[in-house]
Amino acid sequence: MADDQLIIGHRNSEWNGLGPILEEDIAFCSMAQDKIGQSLAFYSILHEMGESDPDTVAFTRNSPQFHNCQLVELPIGEYDFSLVRHFLFDTAEYLRFNALAKSKFEPIADVSAKIKGEIQYHIMHANTWIKQLGTATDESIERMQKAINVAFPYALGIFEESKYEGDLIDDKIFIGEHLLREQWIHEIDKVIASTDLVLPDLAAEEAHLGGRYGEHTEHLQPLLTEMSEVFTVDPSAEW
Amino acid sequence: MVITKNDIFSWLEEVKDPEIPVLSLVDLGVIRKVELDDSKVIVTMTPTFSGCPAIDMMKDDIIDTLKKYGIDDCKVNVTFKDHWNSDMISEKGRKAIKKFGIAPPPQNELVIDLDILENVNCPHCDSDNTEMKTPFGPTLCRSIHYCHGCRQGFEQFKPLQ
């Protein structure tokens, strides 16, 4: 979860100065800031459990050591793609943190209860644009549909199970990826159904898996290299 | 002189939100706990937004302010327990925010949707004939609005659950 937040946060921040309109520039930057703050909250929990400090964990690993899903590492592409990824990913996040707010593992429950309120704003933003561009002109509908078709198999990879899935469910730490995926399909379907867009056929789609186990696309390492540039030059630098 | 928790709270009134310098951290509702142990003070606070970059500045300001009152051993912890929501801003704090030119968040709103972000009361002219331009703003805790009454843009301190 922390890696997902960190990587999507950095991708979102790439719209800084490039957003199609000022408000959208601010929106993506604000969401980027939220996500990176949220990743810090999770890395801090790990730190309290004995892991290295958050900066070391964030800046000194290479691609095979990251556990984010592949969806978040893909380049920002055109604005249609970034909006669609934002919609698919944030809906899943909201549901995940909503479930984790009731986790038996208290530190996770406390952080999740906090950040689901923040993500509410992200979903509100995503839904507004999906509804707007999913019903506007032939071109907007076609571009959004194309972006959905590209992003969807990667989005299914959000729900890749970890080795500890059974234990997490048994110990009531997490409801499990399967249940979460069902809630997600239900939620995104509600929004998509109010537009001229269609969801790809679930039976025919194959999820892009591997991200949770360190298998990534060629896009992640260049992002990590860029992200850690200052840290690599001078690990004691403050900015 | 024996220092009490009330003393600490009244001194913390001097510590302001770096982004809204008329609003104290006490009125903002982010101070969770003050613990006193001999001459050692532990202040526990919670962030408004988890990505708020002002947290470190607030921690330093708390330490500096208490030092002024002779407390040399002060620690500030950040917690997510009993997390902040916008209803925790005090009545005094809401007035200060409005006077500063920012609309205070609507109160007792459990469901945050587009409707409650529209028609925010304008902090300049009190008109409700306003519209939201974007739920994101110059800081994580603000949204941007426009007032058709006085034809001015304004910001709102966002409601957060």
Side-chain angles (χ1 to χ4, degrees):
Chain A
M1 289 188 291
D3 286 350
D4 273 357
Q5 303 297 97
L6 180 69
I7 300 303
I8 194 74
H10 274 273
R11 281 296 184 216
N12 282 350
S13 77
E14 290 176 25
W15 283 109
N16 189 353
L18 301 175
I21 51 172
L22 181 62
E23 285 83 350
E24 285 306 287
D25 201 306
I26 297 169
F28 264 83
C29 292
S30 294
M31 292 190 289
Q33 199 182 332
D34 273 337
K35 305 260 189 234
I36 289 170
Q38 293 159 0
S39 77
L40 175 62
F42 284 114
Y43 288 132
S44 299
I45 294 178
L46 281 174
H47 184 43
E48 278 162 29
M49 295 171 80
E51 198 41 89
S52 298
D53 69 285
D55 276 356
T56 304
V57 173
F59 294 130
T60 60
R61 285 177 299 156
N62 284 316
S63 161
Q65 295 158 302
F66 267 78
H67 303 285
N68 58 281
C69 61
Q70 294 177 0
L71 176 70
V72 296
E73 73 204 37
L74 299 176
I76 55 175
E78 299 274 332
Y79 210 59
D80 45 39
F81 178 77
S82 275
L83 282 174
V84 163
R85 166 167 60 187
H86 159 44
F87 166 66
L88 297 173
F89 180 72
D90 281 290
T91 306
E93 287 242 281
Y94 181 74
L95 296 168
R96 184 181 297 275
F97 294 128
N98 198 36
L100 285 172
K102 298 174 204 104
S103 172
K104 287 276 180 228
F105 184 57
E106 234 177 272
I108 292 275
D110 289 341
V111 169
S112 300
K114 168 72 191 157
I115 65 187
K116 74 176 193 171
E118 298 169 1
I119 293 177
Q120 241 179 344
Y121 279 98
H122 303 193
I123 295 191
M124 211 190 287
H125 178 262
N127 290 354
T128 303
W129 280 111
I130 295 293
K131 286 176 184 167
Q132 173 73 35
L133 294 175
T135 54
T137 65
D138 286 347
E139 189 195 350
S140 78
I141 294 165
E142 195 196 318
R143 290 179 66 143
M144 294 301 269
Q145 187 63 54
K146 222 173 108 193
I148 290 176
N149 297 346
V150 172
F152 201 74
Y154 286 99
L156 291 174
I158 298 173
F159 309 100
E160 181 174 13
E161 294 179 2
S162 80
K163 291 187 284 203
Y164 312 106
E165 182 79 358
D167 293 341
L168 293 174
I169 297 172
D170 289 346
D171 292 344
K172 298 197 164 44
I173 290 171
F174 178 45
I175 58 167
E177 299 293 346
H178 182 74
L179 203 57
L180 188 68
R181 190 181 117 139
E182 281 186 4
Q183 293 180 359
W184 175 75
I185 298 279
H186 178 74
E187 282 305 312
I188 57 170
D189 196 37
K190 265 200 312 205
V191 179
I192 296 287
S194 68
T195 67
D196 298 319
L197 304 166
V198 284
L199 275 189
D201 178 12
L202 270 173
E205 290 292 336
E206 205 174 320
H208 286 321
L209 302 175
R212 304 290 182 212
Y213 294 88
E215 285 168 38
H216 294 285
T217 65
E218 74 270 25
H219 306 295
L220 181 59
Q221 190 55 50
L223 172 76
L224 297 175
T225 307
E226 185 185 82
M227 199 174 85
S228 56
E229 221 168 331
V230 178
F231 190 83
T232 314
V233 172
D234 178 4
S236 66
E238 285 187 30
W239 68 94
Chain B
M1 190 188 92
V2 180
I3 294 164
T4 66
K5 284 186 191 178
N6 279 344
D7 292 329
I8 307 278
F9 270 103
S10 69
W11 297 334
L12 287 177
E13 282 280 340
E14 288 177 28
V15 188
K16 308 295 184 193
D17 177 341
E19 282 161 344
I20 307 176
V22 293
L23 180 64
S24 78
L25 299 193
V26 177
D27 285 318
L28 180 58
V30 295
I31 305 291
R32 281 291 161 273
K33 212 167 41 177
V34 168
E35 290 162 284
L36 273 168
D37 185 11
D38 287 334
S39 60
K40 189 180 162 73
V41 174
I42 302 170
V43 178
T44 304
M45 65 179 294
T46 190
T48 52
F49 279 72
S50 49
C52 179
I55 276 282
D56 283 338
M57 212 186 290
M58 292 183 198
K59 281 167 86 172
D60 291 346
D61 286 351
I62 290 174
I63 292 169
D64 289 347
T65 302
L66 294 186
K67 192 168 270 176
K68 223 171 61 187
Y69 289 97
I71 292 164
D72 292 322
D73 194 357
C74 172
K75 198 170 166 241
V76 183
N77 291 330
V78 176
T79 181
F80 283 93
K81 193 159 276 309
D82 186 17
H83 70 261
W84 183 87
N85 71 54
S86 49
D87 277 348
M88 291 175 181
I89 303 176
S90 72
E91 204 44 51
K92 186 165 134 250
R94 296 176 59 82
K95 287 202 177 101
I97 293 172
K98 188 170 177 182
K99 212 174 154 202
F100 190 62
I102 296 176
Q107 281 170 298
N108 307 314
E109 296 290 346
L110 289 175
V111 182
I112 290 166
D113 57 21
L114 286 175
D115 291 340
I116 72 153
L117 294 171
E118 291 292 351
N119 307 118
V120 169
N121 186 266
C122 171
H124 306 305
C125 74
D126 269 329
S127 168
D128 287 328
N129 184 14
T130 67
E131 64 174 307
M132 182 183 70
K133 287 295 185 189
T134 163
F136 299 100
T139 70
L140 291 182
C141 54
R142 299 188 212 172
S143 50
I144 301 175
H145 303 255
Y146 182 78
C147 176
H148 294 289
C150 63
R151 295 186 183 174
Q152 281 193 78
F154 66 93
E155 291 164 13
Q156 178 193 218
F157 200 115
K158 270 151 78 160
L160 189 75
Q161 274 177 358

